[in-house]
Amino acid sequence: MDDIDAIAALQDPVRRRLYEYVAAQGREVGRNEAAEATGVARTLAAHHLDRLAEAGLLDTGSRRLTGRSGPGAGRPAKVYTRARDERIVSLPARDYRTAAELLAEAAEQAGLDAGLCAAARRRGEALRGSAAPCGGLDEAMEMLAARGYEPHLEAAGEAGGAGDAEAAAAGEGAAGAAAPVVRMRNCPFHAVAERFPPLVCGMNLALLEGLLGAGGPVRARMDARPGECCVVLESSKNNEH
């Protein structure tokens, strides 16, 4: 199935809601969970999830959702995750990825990392404009969501995503747990970052530093993890001694 057909599969509103739910979880999702979360019948959810898998937008697998093993644990259930392959449609045809990879290769070979990061920081500042530095984790998540990063709050020992980021950060001190961070499930520069990780990840960090603004209550830092953006955000006050 080509990219146009794959993207066309999202035209159905139920199918799109199911895709967006699965993509937002960052883990395997079963049919029952997806149906309940999107408010549709399980049989309808199963139909649309399988259509999304046929279109190459979701990957499938199977596992026991009960968390048990052995007799009585139940049969493995079909589960879904967002596919890693990208789908891009441009009319007329364009090939910006090749241009980006060639520019990244030339910059890397010429040792232009510092210049690229400086340009990225200036671009971030220009995108922020005259606005004050980002006021907190909630504001940062809203800003990054609008730019396609798919941010989610991760508290100590768990993957976040729901709830108020500032409240979690405030409650951290009383509980004595590690401070929460904001991670991003999507890297907008994924294809080029895979080929030139130090160069592109450094550029991404500088861009976000410019967007957040210097001296504000949120800071960006590197903390690479497979399948996610290499940059995380945290409250700068957690780094004061």
Side-chain angles (χ1 to χ4, degrees), residues 158-224:
E158 64 179 4
D164 183 88
E166 306 305 330
E172 170 271 325
V181 298
V182 172
R183 293 187 179 273
M184 282 82 81
R185 291 196 174 97
N186 183 50
C187 172
F189 316 110
H190 172 73
V192 187
E194 277 197 322
R195 288 197 57 188
F196 308 95
L199 182 77
V200 178
C201 291
M203 176 199 75
N204 188 27
L205 175 62
L207 176 68
L208 293 181
E209 287 174 340
L211 276 169
L212 295 170
V218 179
R219 70 182 287 264
R221 62 176 173 84
M222 288 286 195
D223 188 10

Side-chain angles (χ1 to χ4, degrees), residues 18-19 22-23 48-50 52-60 80-83:
L18 286 162
Y19 173 79
V22 173
H48 285 304
L49 289 167
D50 285 339
L52 289 167
E54 291 170 7
L57 296 171
L58 296 180
D59 290 334
T60 63
Y80 304 82
T81 56
R82 178 167 59 181

Side-chain angles (χ1 to χ4, degrees), residues 31 39 52 61 71 106 121 126 137-138 141 152 160 167 185 239:
R31 289 170 167 174
L52 289 167
R121 190 171 289 104
L137 292 179
D138 283 337
M141 290 176 69
H152 64 102
R185 291 196 174 97
N239 298 283

Side-chain angles (χ1 to χ4, degrees), residues 10-80:
L10 295 172
Q11 184 175 2
D12 183 281
V14 173
R15 197 172 300 159
R16 182 160 185 166
R17 289 207 310 273
L18 286 162
Y19 173 79
E20 289 174 345
Y21 178 78
V22 173
Q25 304 316 301
R27 56 173 172 78
E28 294 175 330
V29 174
R31 289 170 167 174
N32 287 341
E33 178 188 346
E36 182 176 352
T38 55
V40 300
R42 183 186 183 280
T43 52
L44 182 61
H47 167 74
H48 285 304
L49 289 167
D50 285 339
R51 287 292 302 274
L52 289 167
E54 291 170 7
L57 296 171
L58 296 180
D59 290 334
T60 63
S62 62
R63 66 178 177 87
R64 289 188 173 91
L65 301 178
T66 61
R68 303 193 304 271
S69 59
R75 298 175 59 186
K78 195 169 187 177
V79 292
Y80 304 82

Side-chain angles (χ1 to χ4, degrees), residues 57-111:
L57 296 171
L58 296 180
D59 290 334
T60 63
S62 62
R63 66 178 177 87
R64 289 188 173 91
L65 301 178
T66 61
R68 303 193 304 271
S69 59
R75 298 175 59 186
K78 195 169 187 177
V79 292
Y80 304 82
T81 56
R82 178 167 59 181
R84 296 284 293 167
D85 293 340
E86 294 183 7
R87 300 288 181 173
I88 300 173
V89 174
S90 177
L91 298 173
R94 298 288 188 263
D95 189 6
Y96 298 113
R97 178 185 296 180
T98 297
E101 289 177 348
L102 288 171
L103 290 168
E105 182 178 356
E108 188 175 74
Q109 291 178 354

